[in-house]
């Protein structure tokens, strides 16, 4: 939170009085998304470890634990520190923690919380063990398997085995399992194409599990899956933990994924909006609003406008230009809801999230891990 | 500043020890950029009012005042509040301030600082006057003229005259001048194309000035121009104030503008970098670094890599994938400098800027107006 700033809303306010730009959360839809996910998972044996990088908000993480989450995922050690300080003590850092500064923070944190971390590199494994020894603590590690995202992770079961052997030879590390997140599959529109990417991932994980078993290594956790694919990971009988994060909010990009019938998926509803103000009406076909690049991420496209026939057509630092049909009667100061193209980096631009019900502000949550990219 | 976070650097540290992602400022290049701008402006009669939306940092704004700036520009009332609190008392809010909440903050601020604001709408003018009267203060206003950016502003001299007449009829407003910022021209690569857009803008301003003069209105300030064009505004003999902001830092996008000879402009040097760490080396042609969408803006393209032959090819939330030539010997934990595509929204993602000289950290500045988009 930037303590130079005043929050955009107070509890009890009408949402039309909220200052803009503001992140709005429709609490009915948000709660319904949580219920729907819970329902999808309670009939399975798959654990639920939601990713907090989407919301960066301890208040939401705590609700997810109430929903039955066994812990949370963080992407960064600074994110995990903030969540731990807020009382969340079971955290998988679903990422590599590299270099002396960050590794020291990791091992220190592991003394007050149960911390797991991903690895994909020998020297990194050795370094984490050395610092864990120095600080007299133990760290649980997951080997990251690259299942087609082409980002971090080792490729193939033999590389997994090599790292597991190394981990097991170290005094202060515990081999816990495998992370196999198919990041690229999350946003593949077509149902069967998405499903087939996760099936390939599951097969790669299965090969690794078989090889580890042959070598007498047991693998407690197999973690992966996001909002776009977690149902496939659940069905796989290979994964026993899924990591969806965006399902609480949704966004323009996730909203374009299709189900088996070729229809837009409607499992989760859009709960996250950006409230913006019409700040200029230069012509009868153009309105300018106060949400630009500093309050909405545009990497997955420009935001959608919650007004029929109106399009957000260009973003500059603090301006957004709307193309409006001539019949629409917009007034200066009107407040309009936008749907961000990509929720994670949009949330990270804000210090507060304003929860509302029946157009009235019910809560203002601090996005405590905003900017926690260390 | 997020008080949940620890700054990435301490004074005296080697830059290779700075935690990442971090915004690095090469102080020699930064100072040289300031000297170069000063040199360009001292021989002219044009006032210099740098835009603080680029740096959001009171420490930098104060140095610009030492360089001869007559004040600063802010884009938002919350930005102006933070700058005023830091002691900067001459501020043009180069934007429309709309709605009761923001207008009240504007008039309150005008009681402790000299505040100018842009207008392009009758009701907005009436509202600002009403609140100024209510709070017993005066506000100086500039009419924004749209000179081809197709964003805010009125089109044509007759619309300017109408608004100036309205402003002059109000008890608590002072008509100060015209803002005519050709935003789109800033990033037009070709020198003559860029020049010609500003010449058109100057002619539109001149027509407005002539009409105002015929109607006995005097226009004290004509403000506009950014890093990409300010030299043309200076030459115009129409503008008497320029607003460059990015010149202190530069970025990948500004670095692609061409001079009259068709060469890349080298007036200002690249002083702003993003320090990133190699966090995974999955293959001999790929490295993964820890700068992604949450620490670099990608609206003007992916960042450039300060290592010959290396390209940043894809960004996800907290990962960046580098394509590396097979001959380059990168090690896990190596720190690499990146050049952001667009400096303004990148700076806004960070809480600190780390200034260095001879590879040693000399200062850590608070980006106090980070997130000040209200």
């Amino acid at each position: 939170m930037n303590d130079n700033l005043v929050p955009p809303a107070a509890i009890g306010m009408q949402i039309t009085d909220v200052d803009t730009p503001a992140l709005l959360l429709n609490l009915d839809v948000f709660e319904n998304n949580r219920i729907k996910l819970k329902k999808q998972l309670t009939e399975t044996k798959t654990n639920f470890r939601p990713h907090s990088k989407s919301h960066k908000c301890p208040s939401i993480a705590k609700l997810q634990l109430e929903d039955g989450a066994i812990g949370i995922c963080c992407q960064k050690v600074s994110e995990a520190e903030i969540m731990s300080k807020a009382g969340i003590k079971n955290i998988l850092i679903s990422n590599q923690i590299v270099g002396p500064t960050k590794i020291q923070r990791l091992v220190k944190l592991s003394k007050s919380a149960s911390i797991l971390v991903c690895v994909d590199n020998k020297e990194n494994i050795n370094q984490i063990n050395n610092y864990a020894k120095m600080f007299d603590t133990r760290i649980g590690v997951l080997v990251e398997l690259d299942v087609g995202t082409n980002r971090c992770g080792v490729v193939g079961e033999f590389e997994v085995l090599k790292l597991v052997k190394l981990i097991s030879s170290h005094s202060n590390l515990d081999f816990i399992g495998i992370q196999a997140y198919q990041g690229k599959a999350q946003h593949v529109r077509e149902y069967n194409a998405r499903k087939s990417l996760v099936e390939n991932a599951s097969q790669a994980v299965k090969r690794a599990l078989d090889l580890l078993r042959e070598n007498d290594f047991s693998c407690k956790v197999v973690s992966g899956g996001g909002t776009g694919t977690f149902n496939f990971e659940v069905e796989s009988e290979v994964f026993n933990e899924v990591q969806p994060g965006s399902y609480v909010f949704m966004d323009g990009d996730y909203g374009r994924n299709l189900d088996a019938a070729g229809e837009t998926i409607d499992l989760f509803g859009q709960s996250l909006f950006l409230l913006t103000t019409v700040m200029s009406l230069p012509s009868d076909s153009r309105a300018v609003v106060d949400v630009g690049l500093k309050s909405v991420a545009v990497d997955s496209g420009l935001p959608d406008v919650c007004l029929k026939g109106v399009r957000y057509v260009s973003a500059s630092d603090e301006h957004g230009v709307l193309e409006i049909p001539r019949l629409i009667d917009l007034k200066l100061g009107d407040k309009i809801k936008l749907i961000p193209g990509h929720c994670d980096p949009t949330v990270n631009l804000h210090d507060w999230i304003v929860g509302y019900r029946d157009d009235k502000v019910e809560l203002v949550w601090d996005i405590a891990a905003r900017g926690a990219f260390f």
Side-chain angles (χ1 to χ4, degrees), chain A:
Chain A
M1 193 183 85
N2 186 335
D3 50 16
N4 293 311
L5 296 175
V6 183
I11 291 166
M13 206 179 239
Q14 291 298 309
I15 59 165
T16 45
D17 292 327
V18 170
D19 199 12
T20 64
L23 270 189
L24 287 188
L25 184 66
N26 181 321
L27 292 171
D28 289 331
V29 180
F30 167 74
E31 286 161 13
N32 208 24
N33 288 346
R34 289 168 42 212
I35 291 166
K36 280 179 169 168
L37 188 101
K38 206 171 155 179
K39 221 180 234 168
Q40 292 256 319
L41 292 182
T42 41
E43 288 149 30
T44 75
K45 286 179 203 148
T46 317
N47 285 323
F48 167 42
R49 190 189 281 276
H51 216 304
S52 73
K53 78 184 178 74
S54 299
H55 54 67
K56 288 181 164 276
C57 178
S59 307
I60 296 180
K62 286 177 186 173
L63 291 172
Q64 292 174 313
L65 293 173
E66 286 175 22
D67 291 343
I70 58 154
I72 61 166
C73 291
C74 286
Q75 199 74 323
K76 299 282 181 152
V77 70
S78 57
E79 228 170 49
E81 285 168 347
I82 292 167
M83 292 295 171
S84 168
K85 206 173 141 192
I88 295 149
K89 297 296 182 184
N90 193 333
I91 301 170
L92 161 60
I93 301 178
S94 58
N95 208 352
Q96 285 63 30
I97 299 300
V98 171
T101 310
K102 288 187 168 66
I103 295 178
Q104 284 186 57
R105 286 168 74 163
L106 175 78
V107 298
K108 280 184 198 164
L109 186 60
S110 78
K111 296 185 81 94
S112 59
S114 161
I115 300 293
L116 304 176
V117 68
C118 288
V119 293
D120 69 355
N121 178 287
K122 288 180 191 178
E123 283 133 70
N124 185 232
I125 291 170
N126 295 338
Q127 269 210 331
I128 296 175
N129 182 65
N130 289 343
Y131 278 105
K133 209 189 255 176
M134 202 184 296
F135 285 82
D136 191 26
T137 184
R138 300 190 70 76
I139 304 277
V141 295
L142 278 77
V143 173
E144 179 153 14
L145 179 62
D146 179 1
V147 287
T149 293
N150 294 333
R151 212 166 52 186
C152 304
V154 296
V155 177
E157 60 271 28
F158 296 101
E159 292 302 313
V160 174
L161 179 63
K162 266 191 215 164
L163 293 191
V164 172
K165 280 184 176 166
L166 179 65
I167 293 162
S168 305
S169 75
H170 279 313
S171 57
N172 292 57
L173 300 182
D174 296 311
F175 170 66
I176 300 293
I178 289 175
Q179 171 168 281
Y181 175 66
Q182 222 311 0
K184 282 195 177 158
Q186 306 308 312
H187 308 279
V188 167
R189 301 293 168 235
E190 209 262 315
Y191 182 87
N192 284 318
R194 214 160 56 238
K195 184 175 177 176
S196 136
L197 285 171
V198 178
E199 280 170 356
N200 292 344
S202 303
Q203 282 158 20
V205 177
K206 208 176 163 308
R207 285 194 294 274
L209 294 176
D210 289 345
L211 185 65
L212 290 179
R213 202 174 301 117
E214 285 165 28
N215 286 270
D216 293 324
F217 289 110
S218 77
C219 189
K220 220 158 65 185
V221 174
V222 180
S223 193
T227 296
T229 66
F230 75 95
N231 50 324
F232 304 129
E233 273 90 357
V234 166
E235 286 165 15
S236 71
E237 298 187 2
V238 170
F239 288 83
N240 60 15
E241 185 176 290
V242 289
Q243 312 178 350
S246 305
Y247 76 98
V248 287
F249 297 145
M250 295 300 280
D251 59 29
D253 197 79
Y254 270 120
R256 287 184 272 277
N257 277 3
L258 304 176
D259 65 14
E263 302 289 327
T264 304
I265 286 183
D266 61 0
L267 175 62
F268 302 117
Q270 185 64 41
S271 68
L272 186 78
F273 300 93
L274 270 167
L275 193 68
T276 190
T277 300
V278 175
M279 54 180 283
S280 182
L281 278 165
S283 86
D284 55 2
S285 63
R286 184 168 87 241
V288 183
V289 293
D290 65 356
V291 160
L293 300 169
K294 289 182 187 166
S295 46
V296 67
V298 300
D299 59 280
S300 301
L302 296 173
D304 295 320
V305 184
C306 299
L307 263 184
K308 212 182 157 179
V310 180
R311 285 172 56 230
Y312 186 112
V313 292
S314 81
S316 40
D317 286 358
E318 289 99 349
H319 296 89
V321 176
L322 305 187
E323 204 177 79
I324 50 176
R326 280 165 203 256
L327 287 171
I328 280 206
D329 183 30
L330 281 179
K331 288 187 294 299
L332 203 73
D334 277 359
K335 292 187 179 171
I336 300 174
K337 281 186 206 158
L338 307 175
I339 297 174
H342 188 180
C343 58
D344 295 21
T346 297
V347 170
N348 184 56
L349 293 166
H350 292 256
D351 291 278
W352 297 278
I353 190 159
V354 178
Y356 71 97
R357 210 183 304 264
D358 301 326
D359 287 348
K360 210 169 164 182
V361 173
E362 191 172 299
L363 53 86
V364 179
W365 280 328
D366 180 10
I367 303 174
R370 195 279 320 147
F373 45 48
F374 300 104

